[in-house]
Amino acid sequence: PFEYPVCTPDGTVFDILSIVPWIKKYGTNPITGEKLDAKSLIKLNFAKNSEGKYHCPVLFTVFTNNSHIVAIKTTGNVFAYEAVEQLNIKPKCFKDLLTDEPFTRQDIVTLQDPTNLDKFNVSNFFHVKNNIKVVDPDEEKAKLDPSYYLKNTNTETRETLLELYKEFKGDDILAATMKAPEKKKVDKLNAAHYSTGAVSASFTSTAMVPETTHEAAAIEDDVVRYQYVKKKGYVRLHTNKGDLNLELHCDMVLCAPLPAASNLSLDNKCSRSWQWKCPEMWSSV
């Protein structure tokens, strides 16, 4: 599962291509949450047999999930614990079994111990508990291609998909026709107690842009505005017979503010010419 294996001093194995970006961003061990420096990582040297399987270079036993595997910190060479126990620990000859380089008992790092399975309990990993991850830009870009999710495809399927993508223009057509309507800004004053209904509408109609978030509908500005009208409105009409001062009961009748807000003022220089303007007195109401 790795190309360039490294391990921490406590024996947690990572691929260097995965752990270095994590350390650069968080500076911790993703398994334990403790501080971790890239300089403390130990490069591991795994041996492979003729079949490409990892094995002990001394006993030639293939590593499995039940193998007890250790590494020598000073050299990074990986062995079966049985080999190190029989040839290093018991005779007290602490020299690397491949390079003959000396090391101490403390330099023996356990990578896998079948009697300690808690080490591999993913649910206890720090980054899993806290839902922390490093986003790979290349992988996120690749996910935009539907073929990313096709793990195994035969030649005929691949050729069919390539031909389909060359001729298919449905996405361009949908992008041109399925434009999301402009959303009205909602705040604590104009937010309704009901939603826009866009989620259910997009779920049942293919002609609408998919919507997955419920949002409060916006009450019309006129309805919101007149809820706060608590005073009388006053309008002065200029006529050829003199001025008429009118009082509008905006606080009593819902429709009363409408003509007032439509900016009333009469200019009757011509008998058939009517022009409405906003009187200064109404602007203060």
Side-chain angles (χ1 to χ4, degrees):
F2 42 69
E3 295 184 28
Y4 306 100
V6 294
C7 76
T8 60
D10 64 352
T12 305
V13 180
F14 298 100
D15 191 309
I16 195 170
L17 298 179
S18 300
I19 189 60
V20 169
W22 175 281
I23 294 177
K24 286 183 178 180
K25 186 171 183 178
Y26 300 107
T28 61
N29 186 327
I31 306 301
T32 63
E34 299 177 356
K35 290 185 178 181
L36 180 63
D37 188 358
K39 295 181 180 179
S40 65
L41 297 176
I42 304 168
K43 180 183 176 182
L44 298 177
N45 302 314
F46 279 89
K48 291 185 178 181
N49 59 17
S50 58
E51 297 178 356
K53 297 181 179 180
Y54 295 113
H55 73 148
C56 175
V58 177
L59 302 180
F60 300 103
T61 54
V62 176
F63 292 145
T64 66
N65 293 335
N66 299 319
S67 301
H68 193 167
I69 307 171
V70 296
I72 306 303
K73 184 177 181 181
T74 55
T75 63
N77 292 328
V78 180
F79 305 96
Y81 176 75
E82 184 181 357
V84 175
E85 182 184 30
Q86 296 296 329
L87 301 175
N88 293 124
I89 299 177
K90 286 186 176 181
K92 297 182 180 179
C93 178
F94 293 100
K95 289 186 178 181
D96 189 278
L97 299 176
L98 293 180
T99 64
D100 209 31
E101 184 177 337
F103 63 90
T104 64
R105 179 68 181 268
Q106 288 71 30
D107 290 330
I108 301 176
V109 181
T110 300
L111 303 182
Q112 178 176 287
D113 185 355
T115 62
N116 182 21
L117 299 179
D118 290 339
K119 178 180 179 180
F120 303 100
N121 189 349
V122 178
S123 61
N124 292 331
F125 290 177
F126 175 80
H127 72 287
V128 174
K129 286 183 177 180
N130 297 275
N131 193 25
I132 305 174
K133 60 182 178 179
V134 177
V135 178
D136 185 356
D138 294 334
E139 184 177 357
E140 292 298 317
K141 185 177 180 180
K143 287 182 179 180
L144 299 177
D145 185 357
S147 61
Y148 173 85
Y149 300 95
L150 298 176
K151 302 300 181 183
N152 297 308
T153 56
N154 55 32
T155 304
E156 184 179 356
T157 302
R158 287 195 296 269
E159 292 178 353
T160 303
L161 290 174
L162 289 174
E163 191 67 24
L164 175 64
Y165 293 145
K166 288 180 181 178
E167 300 178 359
F168 182 67
K169 299 181 180 180
D171 291 340
D172 297 333
I173 297 174
L174 290 175
T177 58
M178 296 177 60
K179 293 184 178 179
E182 184 177 351
K183 295 183 179 180
K184 190 174 181 180
K185 187 176 180 180
V186 179
D187 53 32
K188 62 180 181 180
L189 296 178
N190 67 344
H193 65 277
Y194 49 87
S195 71
T196 58
V199 174
S200 58
S202 64
F203 180 76
T204 56
S205 174
T206 58
M208 294 189 64
V209 177
E211 188 72 38
T212 59
T213 304
H214 285 284
E215 296 181 354
I219 303 175
E220 293 295 331
D221 292 341
D222 289 342
V223 177
V224 175
R225 181 186 302 120
Y226 300 136
Q227 291 178 351
Y228 297 92
V229 176
K230 304 299 181 182
K231 299 180 180 180
K232 306 294 184 183
Y234 300 93
V235 177
R236 176 172 295 171
L237 274 70
H238 302 286
T239 71
N240 56 353
K241 298 295 184 179
D243 295 341
L244 296 176
N245 296 326
L246 304 178
E247 180 182 34
L248 303 179
H249 297 280
C250 304
D251 56 336
M252 298 176 60
V253 183
L254 179 61
C255 63
L258 294 177
S262 297
N263 309 330
L264 280 171
S265 181
L266 177 62
D267 184 1
N268 194 19
K269 293 182 180 179
C270 178
S271 59
R272 294 185 179 180
S273 176
W274 299 81
Q275 181 178 2
W276 303 93
K277 297 180 181 179
C278 179
E280 294 181 358
M281 295 184 66
W282 172 246
S283 63
S284 62
V285 177

